[in-house]
């Protein structure tokens, strides 16, 4: 009584050919009244995966709004939110001296570069959105850590990938759900809002 749940199912899907591994997946909502910390959320995740994963080439699949907020400063370098996001992005990717972004049109933007360095992070804004089966395949074949929000993407992650370390963008009305979820998912750091 007075409880809600998620419907888990056996998802059937094929391995995608959208992006080569290794890659991480970020699928969260943009900043607004319900998600005021969205920028902090995706930047914190970028920082964590940059510190945790040591690849020569590491890609990060992101939604279009993250591309927009990075691109706004690269196209028009002015003080403000876009400047702060880009500054933090450069700082938080210190283990990747080359950071490139590909937007939804396939255009490349250099965020930072080091010609003598061989480690590169590529932020991919040209992959999402995808139909559900392809999206689930993106979750499945990404690195262990995945940043998600919403009931559907969380359900898809639970259905396909029981060992994923799920990082969850919490909406204010979902605090109780996230607290209960933290008891069952394999992420020892996921304990509080």
């Amino acid at each position: 009584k007075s409880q809600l749940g998620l419907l888990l199912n056996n998802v059937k899907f094929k391995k995608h050919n959208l992006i080569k591994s290794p890659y991480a997946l970020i699928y969260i909502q943009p900043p607004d009244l319900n998600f005021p910390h969205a920028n902090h959320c995706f930047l914190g995740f970028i920082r964590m995966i940059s510190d945790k994963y040591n690849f020569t080439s590491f890609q990060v699949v992101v939604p279009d709004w993250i591309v927009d907020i990075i691109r706004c400063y690269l196209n028009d370098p002015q003080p403000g939110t876009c400047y702060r996001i880009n500054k933090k992005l450069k700082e938080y990717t210190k283990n990747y001296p080359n950071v490139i972004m590909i937007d939804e049109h396939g255009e490349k933007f250099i965020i930072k570069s080091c010609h003598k360095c061989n480690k590169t992070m590529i932020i991919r804004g040209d992959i999402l959105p995808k139909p559900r089966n392809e999206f689930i395949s993106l979750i499945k074949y990404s690195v262990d850590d995945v940043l998600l929000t919403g009931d559907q993407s969380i359900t898809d992650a639970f259905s396909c990938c029981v060992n994923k370390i799920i990082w969850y963008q919490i909406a204010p009305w979902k605090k109780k759900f996230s607290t209960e979820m933290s008891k069952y998912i394999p992420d020892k750091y996921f304990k509080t809002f």
Side-chain angles (χ1 to χ4, degrees), residues 175-191:
K175 285 183 186 178
K176 186 172 180 182
F177 168 70
S178 63
T179 302
E180 290 300 312
M181 182 173 65
S182 72
K183 296 175 185 177
Y184 300 99
I185 64 173
D187 187 347
K188 65 184 178 180
Y189 301 106
F190 191 82
K191 295 194 190 256

Side-chain angles (χ1 to χ4, degrees), residues 43 46 50 70 73-74 77 82-99 110-113 123:
L43 285 169
I46 292 275
S50 177
I70 295 169
Y73 179 75
L74 298 173
C82 298
Y83 166 76
R84 288 190 301 276
I85 296 296
N86 276 269
K87 183 178 176 188
K88 290 287 185 190
L89 184 60
K90 290 176 185 175
E91 176 188 335
Y92 289 173
T93 56
K94 65 180 182 283
N95 293 330
Y96 289 90
N98 297 297
V99 178
I110 296 173
I111 296 167
K112 66 179 184 175
S113 67
I123 298 170

Side-chain angles (χ1 to χ4, degrees), residues 46-80:
I46 292 275
R47 184 180 199 176
M48 186 267 302
I49 61 172
S50 177
D51 289 345
K52 182 174 181 176
Y53 296 101
N54 185 21
F55 300 116
T56 303
S57 180
F58 188 27
Q59 301 183 82
V60 183
V61 177
V62 299
D64 58 355
W65 70 267
I66 292 176
V67 169
D68 291 341
I69 204 160
I70 295 169
R71 184 175 42 208
C72 79
Y73 179 75
L74 298 173
N75 285 339
D76 185 21
Q78 300 290 323

Side-chain angles (χ1 to χ4, degrees), residues 14-20 23 134 137-139 141-142:
K14 296 177 188 174
K15 185 172 184 195
H16 67 79
N17 60 358
L18 302 168
I19 184 172
K20 292 184 179 177
Y23 68 91
E134 287 180 300
S137 186
L138 280 169
I139 295 171
Y141 296 103
S142 66

